[in-house]
Amino acid sequence: MPVAAQRPASALLGQIQARWLKEPTRHFIDNQWVENATSQTFDVVNPATEEKLATCPNGGKAEIDRAVKAARKAFESGPYSRWSGRDRGNFLRRLADLIEKHAEELAVLECLNNGKPIGELRAVDLPLTVQTLHYYAGWADKIHGETIHPPGNFFVYTRREPMGVCGSITAWNFPLVLISWKFGPAIAAGNALVHKPPEQAPLSALRFAELVREAGLPEGVFNVVTGLGETAGEALTRHMDVDKVGFTGHYQTGQLVMKAAAESNLKRVSLELGGKSPNIVLDDADLEAAVQGTLTGIFFNQGEVCCAGSRLFLPKKLHDPFLDRLAGAAESRRVGDPLDPGTEQGAQISKEQFEKILGYIEKGKAEGAKVVAGGKRCGDRGYFVRPTVFDGVQDGMTIAREEIFGPVVSVLPYDTLEDVARRANATNYGLGAAVFTQDLSKAHKLAGMLKSGTVWINCYNAFDASVPFGGYKMSGFGRELGQHALELYTQTKAVWVNLGG
Ligand code: TXE
């Protein structure tokens, strides 16, 4: 996908703002826009300007129930139930092409709603969304069972069947990308879906739904209900006719999702939760490459990344030269207007998140860590935080233990490989980790020692639709992306055939 380097056209910007501000949005159920049963709404805000962008209905039990019924009907008896894998693959390809065609509009919409830089949206979010849909289009006609020959006169075959009606609940940090991570494998495998987008950034999900309809997905297969977590989210996780929920968000919400599933119909659950990921630099690392990797690891997407490298382990020998470079690069990062193609860091998603990050920064100072870059807000309008580097951090400090979900990195010195592996693992999380070194045997040794779902060697935040992603420990379970994600959206049936005689 070619990446434009200019500001979005003002006509497009005006059109998008006018469309979403004009009147309250509606839910997308059965391929139609549907009113809320009550007049409850919530406002959606542009975090870079603090101005209202849209008003959305706060869906609850009634809307979720309506969406689930539509999805059930589509799954059991609608035209979609007769689609072959090849039909689903062709649809996913058409959708990918439509998203590509509307990539600039979607990038601008997401930029206004989420506050992330337009350059990143054009270069990362949109291409990754398109790539994910293409990737699962390729799988749709390749989901096969096996043949088994147990002792006796039997022949057994297995069928990999869809789960049925799936729910997806996603976070605000990559609204569009996260839909594709759930929608792609779910549809490839033949499921119907009810999606609950994040209340902070729901608009791209609604536009995505329109494109889904335009690409020809029959009614009821994909539905979007906007609403708060405790209303729409909770209703989806407790619904007795939802077979599976795929969730991305905070680990405590993940616990609520599991509890709701356990207390309702034992629906299947997959969880992609937070992290406190270690980024380990060894003393033989290529310094420039490691600094670049560290910047990507912590400051990409304003630090609002579940696998952000928020704990930077530096060997004592490299501490000073590394920190000088890192602090200098952090200070010179261009923070500001997300619509400016030169911007490297945009706004944090919300006032709440902004205040939470500043609160952690104050806590870090109060507990004795030293700010060597940033450490404060940026400007006086919009939720901008300066890229922040803390030195002199101890493992037990709050900023070294808790997920901040912002542009804040803690520098932790270490002595030996064993020491750093033990400390890197001394967390309840286990989502991502990185090692920077030129010594291959040390790199692979550490990759084996680190308890996390992803280990990056000499890189950070590399993603591809073909590579599984997910957590160890309290970072969740189930793997999204790659072939593994199909396991989350299929179940296996064994069919025994008595051959007689
Ligand atoms: O997450 P929530 P929030 C972390 C990060 C951040 C914190 C809070 O540390 O500061 O979580 O963010 C829906 N039943 N991450 O409040 O609440 C909710 O509406 C069902 C890590 O946004 O977990 C939204 O759609 N659903 C993370 C989704 O859950 C419920 C990404 C996520 O919201 C619900 C984002 C309920 N009871 C934040 N309550 C990551 N791993 O990437 C809320 N929701």
Side-chain angles (χ1 to χ4, degrees):
M1 224 189 244
V3 178
Q6 69 273 38
R7 262 187 101 81
S10 49
L12 176 65
L13 203 57
Q15 268 167 27
I16 292 172
Q17 282 166 322
R19 173 186 172 176
W20 295 99
L21 200 55
K22 198 168 78 186
E23 56 183 34
T25 64
R26 282 171 284 171
H27 307 294
F28 186 87
I29 300 175
D30 243 344
N31 273 2
Q32 302 194 14
W33 293 116
V34 168
E35 297 284 347
N36 209 45
T38 70
S39 57
Q40 279 183 32
T41 57
F42 60 93
D43 284 348
V44 177
V45 172
N46 176 341
T49 62
E50 302 181 40
E51 285 164 3
K52 190 166 105 174
L53 204 57
T55 302
C56 295
N58 181 17
K61 275 189 190 153
E63 291 72 27
I64 289 290
D65 192 49
R66 189 167 168 181
V68 171
K69 284 199 171 100
R72 177 59 64 193
K73 188 166 166 225
F75 177 75
E76 300 291 348
S77 57
Y80 177 74
S81 65
R82 295 181 289 280
W83 272 21
S84 66
R86 192 149 302 159
D87 293 333
R88 297 194 301 271
N90 288 338
F91 155 75
L92 285 168
R93 261 177 227 108
R94 289 196 301 275
L95 178 63
D97 290 346
L98 268 179
I99 301 232
E100 195 161 359
K101 184 172 152 205
H102 294 276
E104 179 67 0
E105 179 207 336
L106 286 160
V108 174
L109 179 62
E110 196 92 304
C111 182
L112 294 172
N113 196 169
N114 171 281
K116 63 172 82 189
I118 189 75
E120 253 174 44
L121 279 153
R122 288 169 176 162
V124 182
D125 295 55
L126 267 299
L128 189 53
T129 302
V130 170
Q131 179 198 99
T132 302
L133 296 173
H134 272 300
Y135 176 81
Y136 286 107
W139 269 114
D141 60 359
K142 298 173 193 67
I143 301 173
H144 303 304
E146 335 136 81
T147 57
I148 307 169
H149 302 275
N153 207 10
F154 292 110
F155 162 62
V156 176
Y157 65 93
T158 61
R159 292 165 53 93
R160 284 189 70 190
E161 299 185 345
M163 302 295 299
V165 174
C166 299
S168 59
I169 301 177
T170 49
W172 40 259
N173 52 342
F174 290 91
L176 198 55
V177 171
L178 294 179
I179 298 177
S180 72
W181 287 16
K182 292 173 170 53
F183 182 94
I187 297 297
N191 298 276
L193 206 58
V194 176
H195 179 62
K196 209 297 278 173
E199 53 269 42
Q200 298 84 352
L203 302 185
S204 55
L206 297 172
R207 185 67 184 114
F208 181 86
E210 281 180 333
L211 296 176
V212 163
R213 179 172 57 188
E214 193 179 330
L217 196 66
E219 57 190 27
V221 184
F222 180 64
N223 309 277
V224 180
V225 175
T226 59
L228 305 182
E230 58 269 29
T231 53
E234 163 103 14
L236 188 54
T237 55
R238 289 200 174 267
H239 200 288
M240 290 299 287
D241 201 28
V242 171
D243 299 298
K244 184 239 149 65
V245 167
F247 173 80
T248 305
H250 195 269
Y251 82 88
Q252 285 169 334
T253 319
Q255 290 172 324
L256 292 177
V257 170
M258 275 189 87
K259 189 163 179 273
E263 288 174 356
S264 54
N265 61 341
L266 283 174
K267 57 180 65 65
R268 308 302 182 258
V269 170
S270 55
L271 303 176
E272 201 268 273
L273 310 173
K276 194 72 195 170
S277 299
N279 173 16
I280 304 170
V281 179
L282 302 192
D283 54 13
D284 65 356
D286 172 333
L287 208 58
E288 284 311 323
V291 170
Q292 278 314 313
T294 299
L295 291 166
T296 306
I298 185 63
F299 298 133
F300 171 61
N301 207 51
Q302 297 73 242
E304 294 171 343
V305 181
C306 44
C307 50
S310 52
R311 290 184 297 150
L312 171 61
F313 287 96
L314 286 184
K316 289 183 177 141
K317 189 179 124 189
L318 279 190
H319 179 272
D320 292 355
F322 195 100
L323 203 61
D324 277 355
R325 284 176 170 76
L326 180 66
E331 285 294 352
S332 62
R333 254 176 104 73
R334 278 168 292 176
V335 183
D337 182 6
L339 289 164
D340 181 338
T343 293
E344 293 173 294
Q345 186 178 302
Q348 311 301 142
I349 183 73
S350 62
K351 185 160 192 281
E352 187 189 358
Q353 187 65 17
F354 171 72
E355 285 171 354
K356 182 176 158 189
I357 296 165
L358 293 178
Y360 273 115
I361 291 175
E362 288 316 308
K363 194 132 203 179
K365 292 176 190 166
E367 290 181 8
K370 188 173 156 226
V371 172
V372 292
K376 51 182 184 291
R377 77 176 292 174
C378 182
D380 51 14
R381 178 167 171 256
Y383 309 128
F384 298 92
V385 177
R386 293 264 7 137
T388 298
V389 181
F390 270 109
D391 192 21
V393 183
Q394 308 286 325
D395 291 1
M397 289 181 182
T398 309
I399 53 169
R401 285 185 295 107
E402 295 184 13
E403 182 179 45
I404 299 174
F405 225 61
V408 182
V409 64
S410 295
V411 176
L412 300 146
Y414 73 88
D415 289 314
T416 63
L417 220 56
E418 286 66 30
D419 167 46
V420 76
R422 181 186 53 75
R423 289 168 57 201
N425 288 332
T427 163
N428 287 332
Y429 292 116
L431 194 56
V435 182
F436 285 88
T437 177
Q438 301 194 55
D439 183 329
L440 273 182
S441 64
K442 281 185 185 157
H444 292 297
K445 192 171 168 200
L446 262 177
M449 290 162 94
L450 293 168
K451 295 184 173 33
S452 71
T454 296
V455 176
W456 287 288
I457 296 173
N458 293 328
C459 55
Y460 209 113
N461 276 337
F463 279 91
D464 190 85
S466 62
V467 181
F469 180 73
Y472 277 30
K473 301 191 272 182
M474 287 176 77
S475 290
F477 49 82
R479 292 293 175 268
E480 299 199 286
L481 298 180
Q483 188 174 352
H484 293 256
L486 295 168
E487 288 160 21
L488 305 180
Y489 293 95
T490 53
Q491 50 196 341
T492 300
K493 178 184 281 173
V495 181
W496 286 75
V497 182
N498 183 346
L499 294 174

PDB file of all heavy atoms in Angstrom, residues 42 149 414 428 487:
ATOM      1  N   PHE A  42     -23.459   7.916  24.914  1.00  0.00           N
ATOM      2  CA  PHE A  42     -22.184   8.403  25.451  1.00  0.00           C
ATOM      3  C   PHE A  42     -21.482   9.191  24.351  1.00  0.00           C
ATOM      4  O   PHE A  42     -21.732   8.954  23.163  1.00  0.00           O
ATOM      5  CB  PHE A  42     -21.311   7.252  25.964  1.00  0.00           C
ATOM      6  CG  PHE A  42     -20.949   6.229  24.920  1.00  0.00           C
ATOM      7  CD1 PHE A  42     -19.780   6.322  24.193  1.00  0.00           C
ATOM      8  CD2 PHE A  42     -21.803   5.159  24.650  1.00  0.00           C
ATOM      9  CE1 PHE A  42     -19.452   5.385  23.225  1.00  0.00           C
ATOM     10  CE2 PHE A  42     -21.485   4.212  23.689  1.00  0.00           C
ATOM     11  CZ  PHE A  42     -20.305   4.318  22.970  1.00  0.00           C
ATOM     12  N   HIS A 149      -7.651 -44.150  11.832  1.00  0.00           N
ATOM     13  CA  HIS A 149      -8.000 -45.578  11.716  1.00  0.00           C
ATOM     14  C   HIS A 149      -7.728 -46.257  13.048  1.00  0.00           C
ATOM     15  O   HIS A 149      -6.671 -46.861  13.232  1.00  0.00           O
ATOM     16  CB  HIS A 149      -7.202 -46.226  10.577  1.00  0.00           C
ATOM     17  CG  HIS A 149      -7.445 -45.533   9.274  1.00  0.00           C
ATOM     18  ND1 HIS A 149      -8.510 -45.819   8.454  1.00  0.00           N
ATOM     19  CD2 HIS A 149      -6.801 -44.504   8.670  1.00  0.00           C
ATOM     20  CE1 HIS A 149      -8.506 -45.016   7.408  1.00  0.00           C
ATOM     21  NE2 HIS A 149      -7.467 -44.202   7.517  1.00  0.00           N
ATOM     22  N   TYR A 414      21.405  -4.413  35.329  1.00  0.00           N
ATOM     23  CA  TYR A 414      21.529  -5.830  35.744  1.00  0.00           C
ATOM     24  C   TYR A 414      22.973  -6.279  35.615  1.00  0.00           C
ATOM     25  O   TYR A 414      23.798  -5.619  34.972  1.00  0.00           O
ATOM     26  CB  TYR A 414      20.600  -6.721  34.916  1.00  0.00           C
ATOM     27  CG  TYR A 414      21.062  -6.917  33.489  1.00  0.00           C
ATOM     28  CD1 TYR A 414      21.945  -7.955  33.148  1.00  0.00           C
ATOM     29  CD2 TYR A 414      20.627  -6.074  32.462  1.00  0.00           C
ATOM     30  CE1 TYR A 414      22.376  -8.131  31.842  1.00  0.00           C
ATOM     31  CE2 TYR A 414      21.057  -6.249  31.164  1.00  0.00           C
ATOM     32  CZ  TYR A 414      21.932  -7.278  30.861  1.00  0.00           C
ATOM     33  OH  TYR A 414      22.365  -7.439  29.572  1.00  0.00           O
ATOM     34  N   ASN A 428       3.610 -10.991  36.850  1.00  0.00           N
ATOM     35  CA  ASN A 428       2.478 -11.871  36.529  1.00  0.00           C
ATOM     36  C   ASN A 428       2.156 -11.879  35.043  1.00  0.00           C
ATOM     37  O   ASN A 428       1.364 -12.672  34.583  1.00  0.00           O
ATOM     38  CB  ASN A 428       1.225 -11.421  37.297  1.00  0.00           C
ATOM     39  CG  ASN A 428       1.333 -11.757  38.764  1.00  0.00           C
ATOM     40  OD1 ASN A 428       2.009 -12.722  39.116  1.00  0.00           O
ATOM     41  ND2 ASN A 428       0.701 -10.971  39.609  1.00  0.00           N
ATOM     42  N   GLU A 487      -7.894 -22.038  15.617  1.00  0.00           N
ATOM     43  CA  GLU A 487      -8.272 -22.944  16.720  1.00  0.00           C
ATOM     44  C   GLU A 487      -9.275 -22.267  17.650  1.00  0.00           C
ATOM     45  O   GLU A 487     -10.090 -22.933  18.272  1.00  0.00           O
ATOM     46  CB  GLU A 487      -7.029 -23.372  17.510  1.00  0.00           C
ATOM     47  CG  GLU A 487      -6.166 -24.350  16.736  1.00  0.00           C
ATOM     48  CD  GLU A 487      -4.745 -24.418  17.253  1.00  0.00           C
ATOM     49  OE1 GLU A 487      -4.495 -24.038  18.422  1.00  0.00           O
ATOM     50  OE2 GLU A 487      -3.869 -24.847  16.472  1.00  0.00           O
TER      51      GLU A 487
END
